[in-house]
Amino acid sequence: MSERAAPFHCPYCGDEDLRPSEVGHGAWECGACNRAFQLKFLGLLSRGLRRADSGGDHI
């Protein structure tokens, strides 16, 4: 993974006024709600995601 992925919206207020934080890698600041947060990739799931409603009939 050579490029850093950037969030498009603040996870708290949904605004798009985000800028990288000086705190460290993956840290972002929201100018709208004044919150700071950090994103971190944990890894891939070995079995993948399985939804409870998968395979059922849709109405």
Side-chain angles (χ1 to χ4, degrees):
M1 190 181 268
S2 62
E3 293 185 31
R4 166 170 58 168
F8 295 107
H9 304 282
C10 173
Y12 298 99
C13 72
D15 200 271
E16 298 176 0
D17 185 14
L18 300 177
R19 57 185 140 315
S21 176
E22 296 178 5
V23 173
H25 182 71
W28 293 86
E29 298 173 353
C30 177
C33 69
N34 247 3
R35 289 185 170 103
F37 58 94
Q38 188 169 16
L39 301 176
K40 182 178 179 181
F41 177 71
L42 299 177
L44 298 174
L45 300 175
S46 61
R47 58 181 162 69
L49 274 179
R50 297 175 193 245
R51 295 177 44 172
D53 63 349
S54 66
D57 293 332
H58 296 290
I59 297 174

